Amino acid sequence: MTRRIALVIEYDGTGYAGFQRQADAPSIQEELENAIQSLTAVRATIRGAGRTDAGVHALGQVAAFDTQSILPVERIAAGLNHYLGEQIAVRAAYDVAPSFDPRRHAKSRVYRYRLLEGRAPFPLRRNVTYRVTRRLDADLMRLAAMDLVGQHDFRAFSGPQPQGRSFTRRMIRADVVRNDDELAVELEANAFLPQQVRRTAGALVDVGLGRMTVSAFRQMMESGAQGAAETVLPARGLTLQEVRYAGFPPESHATTTHDETYEPGSP
Amino acid sequence: MTRRIALVIEYDGTGYAGFQRQADAPSIQEELENAIQSLTAVRATIRGAGRTDAGVHALGQVAAFDTQSILPVERIAAGLNHYLGEQIAVRAAYDVAPSFDPRRHAKSRVYRYRLLEGRAPFPLRRNVTYRVTRRLDADLMRLAAMDLVGQHDFRAFSGPQPQGRSFTRRMIRADVVRNDDELAVELEANAFLPQQVRRTAGALVDVGLGRMTVSAFRQMMESGAQGAAETVLPARGLTLQEVRYAGFPPESHATTTHDETYEPGSP
């Protein structure tokens, strides 16, 4: 009998061409599908909640696949981790309804762009942050970010996308938060346009550095010019924190983090 | 005229044989000395506040060297960073008295050992944490750690060291702290014995997992048996956070983090 399994996945996107399978470059999807094949001996196609660009990380990407395996779901998580390399891990696995669609059923996506201020590099966080050499005015950035909240045409913050598609998205939260010595741009929206987070963070950095006023930020947003926010910050600072659903993760069936019922072949 | 320059250094110790120069393996010291030679055209020997083992990281290692260079100290920091690889950075540089000795003048060292709880790996923090698969009782760990504070013979937590050396050290702070979803063992002492932090963290993890009682921890500490704390946790979870001095960093002469008077040859 076929079951649908949903995975919550963490990955270090460094060196990957992104989540989605590519013909000629390593992808997160390919690694996951290879691990599923190793574990179940059957090829499966996984469907992710969304693409992430080359080099972008995830703490909580969600993806689903169908399998006839009768392994308990917690063994599927452990088994996939046994076959996955160190840059990707299944943080949790769940049995879900056969109709569960990680992309279409997602209520929102939460992204974080991590910024550091300093003249010198930060080696221990080099792969997960972007450094600016001057101090950022977080209050101004927060003020500008407030204008993003709500249902808007975000084409000013969009990279290229196929013709005829809507640029309207609903921004649920847009904030700039200090985490110790880091400044994080945190955005939650029903969905995001191509490069939207990296262009938004880039424009907010311009505001924080005094290169752009808050009213110029608003005018750019309202300009109706696709890609008007020209600064696309590097992928390495961006992490897909969470994909939110109604009713997922399910209350039951959880692979609890501290349950030791099974260890795969590794010591 | 010869000046002494002190550096505050951050490094990702992954893949390095430790701070101290080795004949046949890459070290942080060697990379720094190569960068100094590239910048000043003169070979110099740097002296660190202390060795760190292979794979151990630092946020605030301190090292000093002598040079006849007349470059302003902020240009020395920027210039060294220009030549250093991405795993090492000079966070700040200072002109110091010719008598300044980073090792002998240090009042204390602060180390942090970062722990994560979870059945599945955490790819984004794999190089800077150690994961345990069960939940740790932080309160018990904190209770055990309290016994470490004060002047004690710490031979139970020591790896091998040359005969005749003292095992007595003064522990200034020993705590177990939650940082979001991490548990950190934080130790500050005047100085540390070989492997002391990794063995102490290992014994505290044994306490946190219920493998060792708090009184057994105390008995082991008082046993007088060198290396009685047998669990040496992996180097990757350990970071030298800070080296503390009286009068260093100096109030003036600081390379301020946000001063942009100089950018090296890089864009």
Side-chain angles (χ1 to χ4, degrees), chain A residues 10 12 81 86-87 89-91 117-124 126 133-135 257-260 262, chain B residues 10 12 81 86-91 117-124 126 133-135 257-260 262:
Chain A
E10 174 174 335
D12 173 354
N81 286 331
E86 62 179 5
Q87 288 192 215
V90 174
R91 300 281 328 138
E117 302 159 324
R119 288 201 62 212
F122 295 84
L124 284 167
R126 69 190 184 281
T133 54
R134 286 191 293 133
R135 195 178 291 278
T257 312
H258 305 290
D259 172 10
E260 281 199 314
Y262 175 80
Chain B
E10 175 174 334
D12 174 354
N81 286 332
E86 62 179 5
Q87 288 193 213
I88 308 174
V90 173
R91 301 280 329 139
E117 302 159 323
R119 288 200 62 211
F122 295 85
L124 284 166
R126 68 189 184 282
T133 54
R134 287 191 292 133
R135 195 178 291 279
T257 311
H258 306 289
D259 171 12
E260 282 199 312
Y262 176 79

Side-chain angles (χ1 to χ4, degrees), chain A residues 117 135-143 176-178 183 208:
Chain A
E117 302 159 324
R135 195 178 291 278
L136 292 160
D137 188 326
D139 291 335
L140 279 183
M141 294 169 72
R142 204 171 293 121
L143 197 62
V176 177
V177 179
R178 278 246 177 236
L183 213 63

Side-chain angles (χ1 to χ4, degrees), chain A residues 130-264:
Chain A
Y130 174 69
R131 177 174 63 95
V132 295
T133 54
R134 286 191 293 133
R135 195 178 291 278
L136 292 160
D137 188 326
D139 291 335
L140 279 183
M141 294 169 72
R142 204 171 293 121
L143 197 62
M146 284 173 62
D147 283 328
L148 299 167
V149 176
Q151 182 141 321
H152 298 289
D153 184 315
F154 284 105
R155 76 183 65 206
F157 300 101
S158 180
Q161 70 166 353
Q163 269 206 321
R165 296 259 183 99
S166 166
F167 289 101
T168 298
R169 297 290 185 274
R170 186 169 45 86
M171 189 72 71
I172 297 161
R173 181 167 169 265
D175 206 352
V176 177
V177 179
R178 278 246 177 236
N179 295 299
D180 291 325
D181 57 349
E182 294 186 20
L183 213 63
V185 175
E186 299 186 349
L187 301 180
E188 177 179 4
N190 67 324
F192 285 92
L193 297 163
Q195 302 178 332
Q196 183 176 351
V197 185
R198 291 155 63 194
R199 285 176 185 263
T200 304
L204 290 174
V205 163
D206 284 344
V207 170
L209 294 174
R211 292 177 186 151
M212 188 192 295
T213 64
V214 173
S215 66
F217 180 92
R218 182 179 307 125
Q219 280 160 24
M220 185 183 69
M221 180 176 163
E222 292 166 353
S223 69
Q226 188 251 305
E230 288 179 333
T231 309
V232 188
L233 293 188
R236 67 174 182 279
L238 182 58
T239 303
L240 171 56
Q241 298 283 121
E242 191 182 349
V243 186
R244 293 187 174 159
Y245 299 86
F248 179 85
E251 296 285 322
S252 53
H253 302 297
T255 296
T256 59
T257 312
H258 305 290
D259 172 10
E260 281 199 314
T261 52
Y262 175 80
E263 287 293 334

Side-chain angles (χ1 to χ4, degrees), chain B residues 162-244:
Chain B
Q163 269 206 322
R165 296 259 183 98
S166 166
F167 289 100
T168 298
R169 298 290 187 274
R170 187 169 45 84
M171 189 72 70
I172 296 161
R173 181 168 170 265
D175 207 352
V176 177
V177 180
R178 279 246 176 236
N179 295 299
D180 292 326
D181 58 348
E182 293 186 19
L183 212 62
V185 174
E186 300 186 349
L187 301 180
E188 178 179 4
N190 67 324
F192 285 92
L193 297 164
Q195 301 179 332
Q196 184 177 350
V197 185
R198 291 157 62 195
R199 286 176 185 263
T200 303
L204 290 174
V205 163
D206 285 343
V207 169
L209 294 175
R211 291 177 186 151
M212 188 191 295
T213 64
V214 173
S215 65
F217 181 90
R218 184 180 306 125
Q219 280 161 25
M220 187 184 66
M221 180 177 164
E222 292 167 352
S223 68
Q226 187 250 304
E230 288 179 333
T231 309
V232 188
L233 294 188
R236 66 174 183 278
L238 182 59
T239 303
L240 172 57
Q241 298 283 123
E242 191 183 351
V243 186
R244 292 187 174 160

